[in-house]
Structure formats: C-alpha cells, structure tokens
Amino acid sequence: MEQNAPTFKHILPLQIRFNDIDMMGHVNNAVIMEFFDYGKMHYFDQLGIKVEQEDVTIVIVHYETDFCGQIFLNTSTEVRTKVERIGQKSLHVLQHIVSDGQLKAVCRTVMSGYNRITKSSEFIPEKLKTAIADYEN
C-alpha cells in the first residue's frame, strides 16, 4: 500500500466477473472506469442522496485516472471513495481501487451542480453538502 494514503470511510467490495477480463488476462481499463462510477453511485446512496432522482443534482464534468497495476480474476478488490473538496458549484471526488492490498488505480472526478429542469449549472444542494460533511467528519 502507498505511504501516506488518504483515509477512506466508504469502501465497497467488488466482484470481478469473467467478462471484466480482456485478452491481456486482466480487468479492462474501461471496466475499471465502471467500477469508479459504481463506487460513486454507492457512496451517494449511502448518504441517502438519490442523485438520479433530484431536480438539482450533480453530474460528472471531468475524470482523471492513473492506472497503477493490473487487476486479475479471483482477487479481493474494492473501490474506496471520498469527497475531498466541495465548492459552490462543484465537488471533487477521490477514489482508489485496491486489489489484494495493492493500489491499482486512482481516479479524481470533478462533479458539478446541475439543474435538470433548466439544463444549466447550479449550486451544489445544501442537503448534499451537509450529508457529505456529516459522513466524512
């Protein structure tokens, strides 16, 4: 494990399926991105926030991913998620995928407040900010 790794409260075990494996014999990078999305969805569900059902919600506006190692079938794998920073209209999510105790991928995601009705940028809802602050502290 890396030195000075951040502390994550939200850890979600993942099941590696046969169809996640590509011709190189490891989990395909596109599947790893799905794992990150699954981790974010589960994180917000845990907070009691159904982002897909809110009129004012959050959407992904930027991904940045580092692939640090391969993930193989039959390994103990998990995605770890935390919100690092919340601004007026954006929040920054940090995620790690760890397999058999080793860091395999890091993703930083910027999410923006979004109003589904007006289809425009919006402030991050206060109930989301409060839920994140309560969970992370």
Side-chain angles (χ1 to χ4, degrees):
M1 215 41 187
E2 68 178 322
Q3 295 291 330
N4 302 320
T7 302
F8 293 88
K9 285 187 177 180
H10 189 270
I11 298 173
L12 179 66
L14 299 169
Q15 180 181 6
I16 307 299
R17 302 164 301 167
F18 179 76
N19 61 326
D20 295 334
I21 307 300
D22 64 17
M23 293 181 66
M24 297 294 290
H26 60 242
V27 174
N28 186 279
N29 287 0
V31 174
I32 290 172
M33 298 309 295
E34 291 176 11
F35 291 165
F36 284 130
D37 284 343
Y38 184 57
K40 279 189 286 297
M41 181 186 73
H42 194 271
Y43 176 92
F44 292 115
D45 281 350
Q46 177 114 9
L47 297 178
I49 305 293
K50 302 292 185 192
V51 293
E52 72 281 3
Q53 297 174 358
E54 304 288 332
D55 287 342
V56 177
T57 188
I58 51 175
V59 294
I60 296 169
V61 295
H62 179 77
Y63 269 129
E64 182 179 311
T65 303
D66 293 313
F67 299 98
C68 309
Q70 300 177 74
I71 303 170
F72 298 99
L73 195 62
N74 301 318
T75 57
S76 174
T77 304
E78 60 194 26
V79 60
R80 301 173 180 183
T81 304
K82 73 179 295 157
V83 172
E84 288 188 298
R85 184 175 48 160
I86 304 173
Q88 292 289 323
K89 289 190 171 186
S90 67
L91 58 89
H92 296 248
V93 179
L94 173 66
Q95 293 178 285
H96 286 183
I97 292 182
V98 175
S99 184
D100 285 344
Q102 298 295 311
L103 182 63
K104 301 297 180 173
V106 177
C107 184
R108 285 187 165 77
T109 304
V110 178
M111 302 183 82
S112 176
Y114 180 75
N115 187 312
R116 289 181 200 270
I117 297 166
T118 64
K119 299 188 181 348
S120 62
S121 175
E122 185 69 64
F123 289 103
I124 301 293
E126 286 302 317
K127 71 178 183 179
L128 178 56
K129 287 182 178 183
T130 300
I132 292 168
D134 290 347
Y135 183 76
E136 291 291 343
N137 295 320

